[in-house]
Structures are given as C-alpha cells and as structure tokens.
Amino acid sequence: SQTTVRSLGSRPTEPAKLAGVTNFRVIAVTPTSATLAWDYADSSAITVWGVTARHLTSYTATGAEANAREFTIRDLSPGLGYEFTIEGRTEGNLTERASTSALLPNG
C-alpha cells in the first residue's frame, strides 16, 4: 500500500553548519589510546565536542568540553588502524566534521 502526504507549507530549511575545526591531528599514540588536538577560532557557541574513533564497523564516541583543544580516547585495541572524527555542537547546530587517522602500535 502507498500513503500520500500533502503539505500546505514548504519544507523547513536545513540548519547551517558552523565552521569546522582546523588542524585536526593525532599528537600521541599508545597501544590502547590516541591523543587528538585541534584548533577552533571561536568556542563561545560550542557547548560540547563529539569525538569518535572508528575501526571498520566498531565505533567509540565520547564528548569533550567546549573549551577543550586536546582529548585522549582510551580503551582502543592495539595494532589496529582508527579513523577519528570531531564535530562541535551548539544548542541547535553542528560544525562541519573533520577527520584524521592513525595506526596504533602493538603492545
């Protein structure tokens, strides 16, 4: 069966993305952690940074405080390659995502 929906209004516009971080990089690795650093010109609107580590289909996501410019993700698996992404969040908007990657050493 099919359902048709009619709307008398227009589709709401997507919220504008805020500028993303610059110089997102891995500054240190251990067999089970990675320390990330980034630059962001104005943190007044950011309420939290969302940081994600991904290996294949496995994700680890956590948050960093608004004024943070460095963060360590722990409990990663030795010898695996990870893609790290970061996205800032405000009350109603997100920043553009930035990503980098690293190979963790074996224990």
Side-chain angles (χ1 to χ4, degrees), residues 40-80:
Y40 191 73
D42 183 337
S43 65
S44 63
I46 302 298
T47 56
V48 68
W49 293 102
V51 182
T52 304
R54 181 177 74 89
H55 172 74
L56 300 175
T57 59
S58 176
Y59 289 84
T60 299
T62 190
E65 294 180 13
N67 60 353
R69 295 297 177 270
E70 188 175 296
F71 187 76
T72 300
I73 296 180
R74 301 184 193 292
D75 300 322
L76 301 174
S77 297
L80 297 181

Side-chain angles (χ1 to χ4, degrees), residues 2-58:
Q2 284 187 320
T3 303
T4 303
V5 177
R6 289 189 64 188
S7 173
L8 301 176
S10 60
R11 182 177 178 178
T13 58
E14 294 289 325
K17 291 270 188 180
L18 302 172
V21 302
T22 57
N23 200 21
F24 185 50
R25 63 210 179 273
V26 177
I27 59 172
V29 293
T30 71
T32 59
S33 69
T35 301
L36 310 164
W38 62 93
D39 299 325
Y40 191 73
D42 183 337
S43 65
S44 63
I46 302 298
T47 56
V48 68
W49 293 102
V51 182
T52 304
R54 181 177 74 89
H55 172 74
L56 300 175
T57 59
S58 176

